[in-house]
Amino acid sequence: MYVAVVVVREYDAKTDSRAVEEVENRCEVGPSGKLSLYTHLLGDPVCRVRHSPASLMLVAEMTVGGGGDDKDKREIVGMIRGCIKTVTCGSKVSRNGKNCPTLPLPLPLYTKLAYILGLRVSPSHRRMGIGLKLVQKMEEWFVDNGAEYSYMATEKDNLPSLELFTGKCGYSQFRTPAILVQPVYAHRVRVSKKATIIKLSPADAEALYRRRFATTEFFPRDIDAILNNKLCLGTFLAVPVGSWSGPDGFLGGSWAVISVWNCMEVFRLEVRGASRVRRALAAGTRAVDRALPWLRLPSVPEVFRPFGFHFLFGLGGDGPDAAGYVRALCGRAHNLARERGCGVVVTEVAKREPLRLGIPHWKRLSCAEDLWCIKRLGEDYSEGCVGDWTKSPPGMSIFVDPRDF
């Protein structure tokens, strides 16, 4: 008689790396379909949480024991990653709804937030409660380290994930941002000559973000660590031609800003399930684009093999021409991704983000409604005490931390 026991423990880089990668490569990201998305780690299973202030990776190990001289068989059948950081969950306002009279600007209220990502269970071991055990063990670590809220992201059509988190773990649907994906073409895209694009130093970028975005929901308190990270390829500011007078004097008219994160150095993606006809058509568009780049024809990148991508974050701006400047910045980001061999450029924005109109993307590759679910882990110890954040209405914008994508 064989007895199977599942133990959830901390990931051991010396012994677990290969087994974790094998499970990752067998698990599709999101719901199954004719075309499925898979993740390829680049030799470091902890890469997706390594750059966060506090992080942990757990694995589920199944041990099958038998009688007689049989040796126990151990197999990793699942894993989960989690991280904790401090983010903005609101702003200080007076009781009558106006800004605090002693403050020139609203001040952010912070909370300690945990994030779950990279939950995987081997296809042959699903519906055995392994995912639930992984989530519960990770939440114990969150609570022990002072996290006040936990959240996760999934596709709205991923019913197994929703059943686990909202049906069994007590999470509630919170925000529905959009993931916008632009292919990287063989040709360079044109960037509007009406905009001057400046690459800001990390210090100037931090000053800008703290000045203009510190009260935006999910804004990370350690924005300086993100901007100074080696994976951050820079922060780019677009302003009218001839208006740039330094980082302290440009905010009077229209402007836009965006930062670029190099995900291709962390992991790769792959689309599986495409027919030979679809692959051939995609290859044909690339061949024409390479042969006739001056025509600037849209082409489908090679996404049917592992490909890398850049993530655009910190999207913001103001003024009547801000959306146009965002488009110029996205053009600059596309050309940078092309130089570095990326397959796509990705960004994520709030459902009601007004600057969304300036972001070029393909609807077929994008996700109109990503779903963020949240759970309150205990009493709210947020600075200033905003009550229960899970019941707060959505704002116009969110700040998507590139370390969480």
Side-chain angles (χ1 to χ4, degrees):
M1 179 178 181
Y2 290 90
V3 178
V5 179
V6 177
V7 175
V8 175
R9 59 171 175 80
E10 189 169 348
Y11 166 76
D12 186 335
K14 294 182 179 179
T15 60
D16 300 335
S17 178
R18 184 173 180 178
V20 164
E21 288 193 37
E22 290 177 354
V23 174
E24 187 86 41
N25 291 336
R26 292 198 300 268
C27 295
E28 70 279 1
V29 181
S32 301
K34 293 182 179 180
L35 295 179
S36 299
L37 189 63
Y38 291 78
T39 303
H40 291 265
L41 304 175
L42 300 181
D44 181 11
V46 193
C47 58
R48 295 189 65 189
V49 293
R50 182 177 300 283
H51 301 282
S52 297
S55 61
L56 178 69
M57 179 171 176
L58 301 173
V59 297
E61 183 178 65
M62 176 174 284
T63 301
V64 180
D69 297 331
D70 291 346
K71 294 183 179 180
D72 291 347
K73 178 182 177 182
R74 291 183 172 83
E75 179 184 6
I76 290 179
V77 295
M79 60 272 196
I80 192 172
R81 302 166 181 87
C83 58
I84 302 174
K85 58 190 175 181
T86 301
V87 305
T88 299
C89 60
S91 60
K92 291 183 180 180
V93 295
S94 64
R95 292 182 180 179
N96 61 10
K98 297 180 180 180
N99 295 343
C100 297
T102 58
L103 301 173
L105 291 173
L107 290 181
L109 294 175
Y110 292 106
T111 189
K112 205 167 186 180
L113 176 69
Y115 181 54
I116 291 176
L117 73 164
L119 172 61
R120 305 282 188 266
V121 176
S122 177
S124 59
H125 293 83
R126 292 174 182 171
R127 300 187 180 278
M128 299 172 62
I130 295 173
L132 179 60
K133 286 186 177 181
L134 286 165
V135 173
Q136 290 174 336
K137 195 69 174 179
M138 182 61 72
E139 288 181 345
E140 290 178 10
W141 180 77
F142 289 162
V143 172
D144 290 344
N145 285 272
E148 297 149 20
Y149 296 91
S150 172
Y151 86 110
M152 51 76 67
T154 188
E155 294 182 354
K156 65 175 183 178
D157 297 328
N158 192 337
L159 299 183
S161 180
L162 289 176
E163 180 182 356
L164 171 62
F165 282 96
T166 63
K168 298 179 180 179
C169 296
Y171 287 71
S172 57
Q173 298 184 17
F174 190 56
R175 300 291 183 259
T176 54
I179 298 176
L180 307 180
V181 181
Q182 180 189 18
V184 175
Y185 308 128
H187 65 269
R188 292 176 60 86
V189 301
R190 291 175 178 170
V191 178
S192 173
K193 296 182 179 180
K194 296 181 180 180
T196 296
I197 297 180
I198 303 100
K199 184 177 181 180
L200 299 177
S201 69
D204 287 339
E206 178 189 354
L208 172 59
Y209 280 129
R210 292 197 186 279
R211 179 179 175 185
R212 297 302 298 261
F213 303 99
T215 58
T216 300
E217 200 173 40
F218 290 94
F219 181 82
R221 175 180 264 178
D222 65 334
I223 185 64
D224 54 321
I226 297 174
L227 298 173
N228 285 285
N229 192 290
K230 64 180 181 180
L231 296 179
C232 184
L233 301 180
T235 299
F236 300 90
L237 176 72
V239 295
V241 173
S243 67
W244 176 249
S245 58
D248 297 324
F250 73 90
L251 295 181
S254 295
W255 60 278
V257 66
I258 211 162
S259 297
V260 182
W261 188 263
N262 185 12
C263 291
M264 69 182 298
E265 297 299 326
V266 179
F267 64 96
R268 304 290 174 93
L269 299 174
E270 179 186 4
V271 176
R272 298 179 188 171
S275 65
R276 291 184 179 180
V277 173
R278 182 171 293 186
R279 288 171 179 263
L281 290 174
T285 65
R286 294 193 300 275
V288 173
D289 196 6
R290 285 193 298 267
L292 307 171
W294 58 87
L295 293 180
R296 303 183 184 277
L297 299 174
S299 57
V300 181
E302 178 54 276
V303 296
F304 307 117
R305 297 177 183 177
F307 65 93
F309 68 98
H310 286 174
F311 183 73
L312 308 184
F313 69 98
L315 171 73
D318 198 7
D321 299 322
Y325 291 150
V326 167
R327 182 172 293 276
L329 290 172
C330 289
R332 173 69 175 271
H334 170 280
N335 293 338
L336 176 62
R338 175 180 172 274
E339 294 170 3
R340 300 178 70 91
C342 291
V344 298
V345 176
V346 183
T347 191
E348 188 166 15
V349 297
K351 186 175 184 178
R352 299 190 297 164
E353 172 60 61
L355 298 179
R356 177 176 175 174
L357 296 175
I359 303 174
H361 62 281
W362 281 18
K363 290 184 178 180
R364 181 172 294 183
L365 298 178
S366 302
C367 174
E369 285 191 3
D370 194 25
L371 180 58
W372 291 9
C373 299
I374 195 168
K375 177 181 180 179
R376 191 178 186 184
L377 296 176
E379 293 299 323
D380 194 342
Y381 302 106
S382 308
E383 297 178 16
C385 189
V386 297
D388 189 351
W389 187 24
T390 66
K391 295 180 173 59
S392 64
M396 296 293 289
S397 303
I398 56 174
F399 195 101
V400 182
D401 192 327
R403 299 171 298 188
D404 295 349
F405 196 81

